[in-house]
Amino acid sequence: MIDECSDFHGLFGLPDQGVRAICTTRWHRPASGRIRSKNDQDFNLAAHVGDDPRRVLSNPALLLRRFNLPAEPVWLDQVHGRNIHKVVVPKKSASLPVADGATTRLHHQVLAVLTADCLPLVLATLDGAQVAAVHVGWRGLASGIIRAAVDCFNGAPLAAWIGPGIGPCHFEVGPELKENFAADLFSANPVSNRLFLDLPQAAERDLTTAGVSKIKTSGLCTVCSIEDFYSYRQEGKTGRFATLVWREAV
Ligand SMILES: [Zn+2]
């Protein structure tokens, strides 16, 4: 069982550039020294997926405490587009920005994306001066969201972390997607003739094309790791886990 993914930090050397990134799981209590129960496994952070509204609304506050966040995250109205919201002042707007990514140079400004099969992507400049969190599904990829996100950094050298999402082992797609992605990103089962797309590989390729050389992939498939992560494909109506990034003051 996984409490949280934070192997993003392995992308940076020492001294620490002050970038923190965390990917939550279904678990809202640390595992240390306690027996896990079903009650601990309900850390849905999205309000739009039909979970108990009292529970869903209380989890963002729980999130702040659980990970000792410096501020409430900037949540987004994610629409599978390519808009990246630039957070330039630490101001809370009344409505959620319609965007599938956010970027900032501010300290202690927590950025967040919610996923359950789509890929969460974290970007940061190697000096830690700017960070971004991006929601990357196949539609976003096809419309160029990775290039849009990288362009927000004005050519600065970047580190990228691709978090847990549906893997090529489980992402069955229709042949209509072939016009959106290179042929070698697909694999076909020779018996059933079912077609699978390698979403993490597609994202990695777009990052490389955009000039990002320091890339780490979690290698975690949300369906294979269903005990720890939410999977929309596997479960239908389900929760969302959050990927967060922010700058500490160093
Ligand atoms: Zn899988």
Side-chain angles (χ1 to χ4, degrees):
M1 285 178 291
I2 304 167
D3 277 330
E4 63 182 82
C5 293
S6 53
D7 61 343
F8 171 77
H9 302 107
L11 282 162
F12 292 93
L14 292 172
D16 182 18
Q17 284 81 359
V19 177
R20 294 280 320 276
I22 287 170
C23 173
T24 70
T25 65
R26 288 175 182 265
W27 305 98
H28 62 75
R29 279 184 241 244
S32 51
R34 61 161 51 240
I35 294 168
R36 287 257 148 95
S37 76
K38 200 72 185 163
N39 287 337
D40 296 339
Q41 200 192 32
D42 191 12
F43 204 15
N44 172 32
L45 291 159
H48 64 283
V49 290
D51 206 334
D52 176 348
R54 287 159 303 176
R55 169 80 75 171
V56 173
L57 290 175
S58 70
N59 277 346
L62 204 59
L63 178 73
L64 255 75
R65 290 202 301 275
R66 165 81 165 81
F67 296 105
N68 199 21
L69 301 182
E72 193 176 315
V74 173
W75 301 102
L76 303 172
D77 182 3
Q78 300 172 187
V79 292
H80 294 275
R82 52 166 285 156
N83 187 35
I84 309 293
H85 176 61
K86 294 186 178 76
V87 184
V88 290
V89 287
K91 200 174 88 183
K92 265 197 87 170
S93 57
S95 58
L96 298 183
V98 178
D100 284 271
T103 185
T104 194
R105 300 178 71 88
L106 299 173
H107 287 115
H108 294 166
Q109 180 68 68
V110 183
L111 308 177
V113 289
L114 293 168
T115 56
D117 286 344
C118 289
L119 300 167
L121 168 69
V122 173
L123 295 167
T125 55
L126 295 186
D127 63 2
Q130 187 179 347
V131 296
V134 190
H135 160 244
V136 182
W138 77 261
R139 286 185 184 84
L141 269 178
S143 65
I145 192 168
I146 287 191
R147 167 59 76 178
V150 170
D151 282 351
C152 294
F153 290 86
N154 300 315
L158 299 179
W161 180 71
I162 300 169
I166 193 163
C169 39
H170 280 104
F171 191 30
E172 186 175 356
V173 296
E176 68 278 4
L177 262 65
K178 281 188 167 175
E179 62 189 55
N180 297 106
F181 297 96
D184 63 346
L185 290 169
F186 294 90
S187 57
N189 183 310
V191 180
S192 65
N193 219 19
R194 290 156 72 197
L195 195 63
F196 296 86
L197 175 62
D198 192 337
L199 209 56
Q201 179 66 29
E204 197 169 336
R205 198 172 286 184
D206 278 7
L207 285 165
T208 305
T209 305
V212 181
S213 56
K214 222 167 179 179
I215 304 168
K216 194 166 180 174
T217 302
S218 76
L220 290 165
C221 167
T222 39
V223 180
C224 293
S225 307
I226 194 77
E227 190 184 35
D228 291 316
F229 299 101
Y230 296 107
S231 168
Y232 175 73
R233 280 286 183 116
Q234 185 74 2
E235 302 170 287
K237 201 169 172 181
T238 188
R240 299 288 183 274
F241 57 92
T243 298
L244 313 159
V245 64
W246 70 97
R247 299 182 65 203
E248 299 279 16
V250 290

